[in-house]
Amino acid sequence: MPLTPEQLAEIEEARSEPRQTLRATAPGMEAHLYTAHPVLDHGLVRVIDYMGDDAAITQAARVSYGRGTRAVSNDEGLIRYLMRHWHSTPFEMCEVKFHVKLPVFVARQWIRHRTANVNEYSARYSILDREFYIPAPDQLAAQSTVNNQGRGAVLEGEEAARVLDLLREDAMRSYDHYESMLSQDGQQGLARELARMNLPANIYTQWYWKIDLHNLFHFLRLRADAHAQYEIRVYAETMCRIVKDWVPLAYAAFEDYRLDAVQLSGKAAQVLRRRLAGEVVTQDSSGMSKGEWREFEAVWG
Amino acid sequence: MPLTPEQLAEIEEARSEPRQTLRATAPGMEAHLYTAHPVLDHGLVRVIDYMGDDAAITQAARVSYGRGTRAVSNDEGLIRYLMRHWHSTPFEMCEVKFHVKLPVFVARQWIRHRTANVNEYSARYSILDREFYIPAPDQLAAQSTVNNQGRGAVLEGEEAARVLDLLREDAMRSYDHYESMLSQDGQQGLARELARMNLPANIYTQWYWKIDLHNLFHFLRLRADAHAQYEIRVYAETMCRIVKDWVPLAYAAFEDYRLDAVQLSGKAAQVLRRRLAGEVVTQDSSGMSKGEWREFEAVWG
Amino acid sequence: MPLTPEQLAEIEEARSEPRQTLRATAPGMEAHLYTAHPVLDHGLVRVIDYMGDDAAITQAARVSYGRGTRAVSNDEGLIRYLMRHWHSTPFEMCEVKFHVKLPVFVARQWIRHRTANVNEYSARYSILDREFYIPAPDQLAAQSTVNNQGRGAVLEGEEAARVLDLLREDAMRSYDHYESMLSQDGQQGLARELARMNLPANIYTQWYWKIDLHNLFHFLRLRADAHAQYEIRVYAETMCRIVKDWVPLAYAAFEDYRLDAVQLSGKAAQVLRRRLAGEVVTQDSSGMSKGEWREFEAVWG
Amino acid sequence: MPLTPEQLAEIEEARSEPRQTLRATAPGMEAHLYTAHPVLDHGLVRVIDYMGDDAAITQAARVSYGRGTRAVSNDEGLIRYLMRHWHSTPFEMCEVKFHVKLPVFVARQWIRHRTANVNEYSARYSILDREFYIPAPDQLAAQSTVNNQGRGAVLEGEEAARVLDLLREDAMRSYDHYESMLSQDGQQGLARELARMNLPANIYTQWYWKIDLHNLFHFLRLRADAHAQYEIRVYAETMCRIVKDWVPLAYAAFEDYRLDAVQLSGKAAQVLRRRLAGEVVTQDSSGMSKGEWREFEAVWG
C-alpha cells in the first residue's frame, strides 16, 4: 500500500476543508486534489496544486490577439487552432504541481526534462524507506531482439522466478546493509550521504514536480508513447487521465494533434502523394533508407 | 485612467464570484486578485492568478528534508534558512500570473528575464491603442555626468518644456500616420505587421507574465534596485508590495537576505576584518582598484 | 552599406590570422567566420564563433548509446535516425554565436525564443545610429483580407509612395528630435535612457546571439516558415544557408524531417488512410472543422 | 586507471592533429583538450571542446555598451566590473563541453543544474561496466552530529573495514546478478532497461556535459563550496583548475567576487557597522536568530 495511515489522514483533512477563492477553478481537478493514484507496486501520483483551466488558455491567447480573436467564435475552436499551429505560450499559462513517488531509475529518466521545478527527497539529509520496485510477472520481459532499447517476450518459468528472487534478495540485502552501516548502535555510524550509495536503482524516491501545461504536454507526448519504457509510461498515462479532467478541451486537442498525430518527412509526404495519384511506390523509388521505409510501412502499409 | 469601463466591469464581475477550492489560498493575495494597480501614466499591474503560499514553500522543503526538518521548529525559521543558504527550489513551488501594461522600452528590458511565461499583445495581429508614456516633470532627468547608464539632475524651464512637447507631438504624429497607413478608406491599407514599425518606444503594450517565486525574487532584486531605470523600478516596487501580502514570511526573508544584503568580495571582507581589528586601510593597501574602492567607501565610509 | 570601414578592417584582420587548435573544425563554417551577410537594407548576420560539427553530434550520440550504436553504420544514417526520433540532445552539443543587426520590431519577435544567450546594444548606455528599415517597394504589402496576421497584395502607385514618405520622414524627424533632446549644447541634455523612447520600431539595433543547434533548428523551423513575417524570415533564411555549410548532414536531416515535413492530426491521418483505400472523404465525413479541412485541402488537395 | 588503452590511443590521436581555425583560441585550454583528469577512484573530467576566451567576454560587453565602454580602459577592469555588478550575459558568451565519468549518486546531484546540455550513457540501450566508487579510507566519514546533511569524524578500525567490505561485496554481487540476468546463455535474458535496476548508486556512469561560463560559475560556486558533498566537490575543484587556465581574468574575478565573497544580510551589515563604530553587539541586540548569529560569528568572530 503506497501511503501511510498518517498520510491518508492528512489527505482526508486537506480534502475536508474547502476554502473560498476568486481564482479560476477547474471542477474536474478539484476532484483529484491530494488523492493518491497508485502506480506500479509502491508508487503514486497526486495533484498538490494547480493554476488555470481551459478558459485561462483562451484568455491569454486573447491578450495576444486582441479584438481580432473574436473571429474564432468559441474556446474549443481557438484551443484547437493554437495547438495545430504550435502557438505554445497560451498553454504555458496553466501550471500544475504533482507529488510523485517513483523508482530511482525512473526518476533518472524523468529529470532529463529540464523545464520543471523539482523538490526531491534528499537521501543526503534523511533516511530512505525500505521500498523497492519489483516488476509484476507480466512486465518481466526479455531484451528485444530487434531494438536495443526495448523489450521482447515475457520471461517465463524458472528464469522469471530466478530474476524475481535476485531482485528481491539483492534489494533486501542492500537495505539491510544500508541500515547496518547507518546504525549508531555500538559504532559511529556511516554518514547518510555515503551509505545511500549502496542502494539499488529500484528503490523508491519521491518529489514534488511542478510544470506548465505546454511542457507537461511535451513530457506526456514522449513518455506516454509506446516506445517509452513501461515503468515511466504508466506514470505518464496516469497524468494523462488527470489532465483530461483538468483541461478537457486542451487535452482533446493534444490527443488529436500530438498523441495521435503522424509526422511525415518531406520524402514520406511525397510518397503518399504519389500513392494517392495511383502510383505504386517501392523503397527503391521512395528515396528513403531501408530503416525509414520500414518505419513508414509500419504506419501506412 | 488605465482601464476601460468594460475592463472595470469585468474585474468587478470576477471579484464578485467567490468559488470553492481545496487548494491552498493566500488571503493577502485574494484581496489583490484582478485589481489594477496603476503604474506610470497609463500602466498597470494586476494579479490574474497565483499558486501556493508561505506554507507551500515549507511543505516542499519538508519533502526534500524528510523527517529531519522537524529540527527547524517553525515555518519562519525554515524559510529564512532556505533563503540564507540559497536553497532556491522550494521557492519555485509558488507561481504567480500578472497582467502588466507597460511602455515598449520597458518591455524590452523586462523580457530579458528568460525564466517566465509571456503572452504579449500582438501588433502584427491587432491594432495598438493611442497610449504613450510621457514622463512626469520630476522624472525628466538629464544624462548623468558620472554614470553612462543613469540620470542626473531634473531638467528645468524651457528645456523641460521643449522635451515634453517633442515627446508628445512625435507620439501623436506617429500614431496619426500609423492610423492613416492602416486605413482602408479609399486605399488598400498597409499590413499591420508593417505599419507598427512607425510607432515609438514609449507606446504602451500589455502582456500576461507568469513566473515562479524564486525567479520573481531574482527579477525584483535587480529591478527594484536603486540602479534600475525608474520606469521599470516602479513596476518592480508595485510587485514587491503585492508579494509582501502574498507570502509575508518569504518576502521578509527576501528583504533581509537579498534587497538589504551587502555582497563583500574576498578583498572587501579582508579590509573589514582589518578595520575591525583597528587598522586604518587605504585604497593603496586594500588591493582594490579605484573604482572598487569608491564603491566600497560608498557603502562602508 | 551595412558595415563601416573600421568594421570591415576588423573583419579582414580577424580573417587574416589563422591559429592552431586541437578542436573539431568545420571547414564550411571557417569560410563564413566574421563575414557579414547583408539582410534587409541595413541589417546583417555574421558568425562570430562556433563549436562542433556533424561528427560532434554522432560522437555525443555514441556516448549515450555506447557500443550498441555501431549497428547504425554511418554518420548520416545516425543523424537522420536522431532527427526522425526527436532525440534532440546530441544536436545540443553544437553551438554557434552570431552577430546580428536588425530592426527593433524584428528583435522583439526574435527575443521570444528564450533558449539563447544575448548581448544587445544598450540604448540606455550608448547612442543609437541613424539607421532605419524602410521596406523595399515589393515588400510594401497591404493587410491580408483572409489572415489577420499576414500580408496581401503589394501596395501600388500613390498609396505606396505616401507610405514610404511617411516612414522615411517620421524616422528622420524622430531621430532629429532624439539628437536635439540629447544635445548638451547650451542645455543639460536629456538622459539617454529617456531620449530613446522617441525612436520608432524600425530603427536598427544589434546583438550577439548564441544558441545550440537543436534550439537553432527550432527557431529556424518557425521563422523560415512561409507564415513568418518576411522581415524575420530573411534572417532565418540567411542562417539556414550558413548552417547548411556548417553541419551539412544535420541540415539535410532537418530539411527533410522538419522544414519539408507535414504534420497530420489523428483525424487527418484517418482521412488519408480512407482516401488511400479509395474512399471519397468530404469535410462532413472527415470529423474536421471547416478551418482544419481548409488547411488540410491546401496541402493534400 | 580510468581510461582504456583504446581511449588513450584516441586521445593521443586527437591531440596530435592541430588544425587551422580563424576562431578565438585559448592557449591554456588547448593544453587541456581531451586530456583526462582523474577524479575519485575511477572517475574523470576532460575537456572535449570550448568556445571563447577572456576577450570574448569583453567583446560581448562592448557590443552592449557601445563606444561608452572605452572608459573602462582594460579587459581585466571590465571583467571585474561585470562580475561585481552581476552583468551575467557577457559570461554566457563562452561555452565548454566536458566528458565526465562519475558515480550515479553524484550524477543525481549534478543533473539538478538544469541550464546545461547533457548526453548520458544509456543503461537502457547499453550494458554498464563493472566499475564502482569505493571511498578511500580518509573519506569514510561518520554522520555529522551537528548537521543532518554532512559528515563528522572518519570511521576507524573494524567499523571502517566492515563498511568497505559491505560496499565492495554488495557492488560485486549486484553486478554478478546484473550479468546473470542479462545473459542469453541458455535463457532468454532480461531486458537491459530492467536489469539495470539492480545496480547500486555507486556504479559509474558517464556523460557529455556542455554549459556556458556564467552557468558553470554558478555550478562551481555551489559545488566547490565547503558544504558540498566531497564526492561532487572534487569534480568541481578539478573544473576550477581547468577554467582558471581557460579564462584567467574571468576566473580571478569569480574567485574574488563569488568563491571568496561574503554575503551579509541587512541585519548582519547593521551589526558590522555598529562594531566598526565601536559598539559591542550581542545576539540579543543583533536582531538575528541563534542559528543566524552562530553562522555570523563563524565568519566574523
Side-chain angles (χ1 to χ4, degrees), chain D residues 120-145:
Chain D
E120 185 177 353
Y121 187 90
S122 167
R124 213 189 148 193
Y125 198 95
S126 303
I127 297 172
L128 283 164
D129 290 331
R130 187 191 283 267
E131 285 187 307
F132 295 87
Y133 169 61
I134 305 294
D138 64 335
Q139 286 305 328
L140 207 66
Q143 175 66 25
S144 164
T145 52

Side-chain angles (χ1 to χ4, degrees), chain D residues 131-164:
Chain D
E131 285 187 307
F132 295 87
Y133 169 61
I134 305 294
D138 64 335
Q139 286 305 328
L140 207 66
Q143 175 66 25
S144 164
T145 52
V146 295
N147 181 355
N148 267 335
Q149 188 176 298
R151 300 185 186 181
V154 169
L155 296 191
E156 290 179 7
E158 272 184 47
E159 184 178 356
R162 209 159 46 228
V163 165
L164 288 176

Side-chain angles (χ1 to χ4, degrees), chain C residues 68-83:
Chain C
T69 351
R70 292 197 187 136
V72 181
S73 52
N74 59 48
D75 278 7
E76 185 182 357
L78 180 51
I79 283 178
R80 288 182 63 84
Y81 175 89
L82 296 169
M83 184 71 79

Side-chain angles (χ1 to χ4, degrees), chain C residues 162-180:
Chain C
R162 212 160 45 227
V163 164
L164 288 176
D165 283 351
L166 285 177
L167 289 176
R168 272 195 214 102
E169 285 164 20
D170 282 359
M172 288 306 115
R173 186 190 301 107
S174 297
Y175 197 85
D176 289 344
H177 293 166
Y178 173 61
E179 281 191 316
S180 82

Side-chain angles (χ1 to χ4, degrees), chain A residues 19 21 23 33-34 48-49, chain B residues 21-26 30 50-53 55-56:
Chain A
R19 296 168 202 89
T21 187
R23 291 174 290 174
L33 265 174
Y34 312 129
I48 297 301
D49 208 341
Chain B
T21 187
L22 294 169
R23 291 173 291 173
T25 57
E30 292 284 335
Y50 71 92
M51 175 195 279
D53 57 2

Side-chain angles (χ1 to χ4, degrees), chain A residues 65 68-69 71 80-81 84-87 89 92 112 114 147-149 221-222 255-258 260-269 272-273 275-276 287 289 291-292 295 299-300, chain C residues 65 68-69 71 80-81 84-87 89 92 112 114 147-149 221-222 255-258 260-269 272-273 275-276 287 289 291-292 295 299-300:
Chain A
Y65 303 145
T69 349
R80 288 182 63 84
Y81 175 90
R84 187 158 75 249
H85 291 281
W86 304 88
H87 292 210
T89 56
E92 296 176 17
R112 295 306 324 285
R114 286 161 291 185
N147 180 355
N148 267 334
Q149 188 176 296
R221 184 170 71 85
L222 294 174
E255 224 170 5
D256 193 21
Y257 293 118
R258 299 288 183 274
D260 299 344
V262 177
Q263 176 82 3
L264 294 171
S265 69
K267 286 176 188 167
L272 279 195
R273 281 197 188 89
R275 281 193 176 178
L276 284 167
S289 71
E292 196 178 351
E295 292 178 24
V299 178
W300 295 100
Chain C
Y65 303 144
T69 351
R80 288 182 63 84
Y81 175 89
R84 189 157 75 248
H85 292 280
W86 303 90
H87 293 209
T89 57
E92 296 176 17
R112 295 306 324 285
R114 285 160 293 185
N147 180 356
N148 268 335
Q149 188 176 299
R221 184 170 70 85
L222 294 175
E255 223 169 6
D256 193 21
Y257 293 118
R258 298 288 184 276
D260 298 345
V262 177
Q263 175 82 5
L264 294 171
S265 69
K267 286 176 187 166
L272 279 193
R273 281 197 188 89
R275 280 192 176 178
L276 284 166
S289 71
E292 197 178 350
E295 293 177 23
V299 178
W300 296 99

Side-chain angles (χ1 to χ4, degrees), chain C residues 210-222:
Chain C
K210 175 171 153 286
I211 193 165
D212 68 61
L213 182 59
H214 164 67
N215 280 293
L216 178 58
F217 278 149
H218 184 69
F219 174 87
L220 294 177
R221 184 170 70 85
L222 294 175

